[in-house]
Amino acid sequence: MDNFQQHLPTSVLAEILENAFQWFVVVDADSKILYINEDYCRFLEVTREEAIGKPVADIIENTKMHEVIKSGVPDNASPHYIKGTYMLANRVPLFVDGKIVGAFGSVIFRDMSDWKRLSSHVRTTMERMQLNIEDNSYTEYRLEDIKGSSPAIRKIKETTGIIAPSDLPVLIEGESGTGKDMFAHSIHQLSERSDFPFVKVNCAEVPVELLERELFGVYNPLTETVQNGRVKQADKGTLYIDEISALPLTLQAKLLRAMQEEEITPLNSEQSEKVNIRIVASSNISLSQLIEEKKFREDLYYRLQAITLKIPPLRERMEDFVDLLNFFLQKFMLHAGRRHITLATKTRELLQSYHWPGNVRELQNILQAAVYLAEKDTIMPSALPSQIKLSNVPSFQTTGTLEDILAEVEKKVLQSYLEEESDKRQIAKQLGLSRSTLYEKIKKHDL
């Protein structure tokens, strides 16, 4: 600091002091003004000569500088009522060798409208930053990231490439886990809006009572500001409404208005705001079925469904299974830091014969866990969850006494587990049996 002062003339230091803050004042331990900048003097309608040396309370009404000197505690971002308006001010005690020698005060915002303007700007900036944090993963989802060469997938990818550059709304239908999000992200990436926000909202995850606020924003009468909702945050970009089937009828009407008139009205507000967005919606339930049940607006459906992508479940495109299996296996091997892992023949058979109700997402999750559970460099059937192994249990007789039927089921289950796993301790654990009970049953069925 001494070196800093030595290399700057007094005139430059004075210039820095005058311009470092809009308005500021420095007082001594007796709360008398030592320094006050020219802008502050003009606002207070006093000359600097009149102010310096005077008690700060004589120059600045409602000041709290003396309280800060007395307490030694900073008073930051505190409202200060002066000349008929509220300002926001900082007041900081000054210490030398552990003793309070005065205080420094600065005005952050000259009036509440200053604060409101900056608050709105900062909030909008923070919302966009948060969206980037929350949804940054979408930048990884491009059309080439969608694996599969089956006729159904090739057709959907071709359609996506054709319609993406337009501003037309798109409806994506398919069971959970089929990859609807990836297609939505791909549409945005291939569109003219790719440099603007991609904003996602999942209607099934947001409580119904908060959904209007989340989508359309809310007006705060106390601060006279609007907290932007997801629709406004997506301005100039793409709004992806996941699980649109869970959107209440009242909000379906507001969404339709946003699409038709390109404007929204935040909650608690009477003022409309213009928006320019492209809508991509998805549903794991047929919306036409919901229309028949009077749970979805017909006019909104026809607005959305002009371009509909129907993503087939994994069980209907098993020709893609090997590509997906190899892709995820390599991906999770890399993440786990393991160079070479293979699937046991029985493991591969179990995976290929399973019906995959959770689709591609279920396959991804199971393989991720299996890589970590692999014995040495091989994924054995024991690394798979029970629903996959049990789905491959051979059929059994359904005639005879209940005791005979249960005995037959027990034998088939034990046979299946013994074929997959040589460690009987593991079998006992998976079946919830003690080892002695397991050995008794093996002996009983002559296995």
Side-chain angles (χ1 to χ4, degrees), residues 360-377:
V360 178
R361 185 184 298 130
E362 185 181 13
L363 172 63
Q364 181 175 340
N365 292 338
I366 285 172
L367 286 177
Q368 185 174 19
V371 165
Y372 285 94
L373 296 172
E375 299 176 9
K376 296 181 180 180
D377 291 332

Side-chain angles (χ1 to χ4, degrees), residues 258-311:
M259 295 176 68
Q260 291 178 335
E261 301 179 22
E262 297 187 342
E263 64 179 27
I264 58 170
T265 304
L267 188 64
N268 299 334
S269 175
E270 296 179 357
Q271 298 295 320
S272 296
E273 298 181 25
K274 298 300 289 184
V275 289
N276 174 14
I277 56 172
R278 183 196 194 159
I279 298 287
V280 177
S282 72
S283 176
N284 60 6
I285 302 173
S286 171
L287 295 186
S288 57
Q289 176 186 330
L290 293 180
I291 290 173
E292 294 178 6
E293 299 172 3
K294 307 298 184 184
K295 294 179 180 178
F296 202 87
R297 291 180 63 104
E298 193 170 5
D299 48 4
L300 177 58
Y301 172 69
Y302 288 123
R303 181 81 182 187
L304 289 170
Q305 61 83 49
I307 298 176
T308 302
L309 304 179
K310 292 186 180 292
I311 315 301

Side-chain angles (χ1 to χ4, degrees), residues 167-216:
D167 270 347
L168 293 170
V170 180
L171 175 62
I172 307 174
E173 291 189 336
E175 296 178 7
S176 295
T178 50
K180 298 188 293 295
D181 283 17
M182 296 184 74
F183 280 100
H185 297 151
S186 299
I187 290 168
H188 176 71
Q189 287 294 339
L190 292 170
S191 75
E192 300 295 325
R193 298 173 178 262
S194 59
D195 291 334
F196 296 96
F198 176 91
V199 181
K200 175 183 175 180
V201 59
N202 188 317
C203 298
E205 292 180 353
V206 181
V208 174
E209 63 273 15
L210 300 179
L211 199 48
E212 182 173 6
R213 177 193 300 255
E214 185 73 15
L215 274 171
F216 301 103

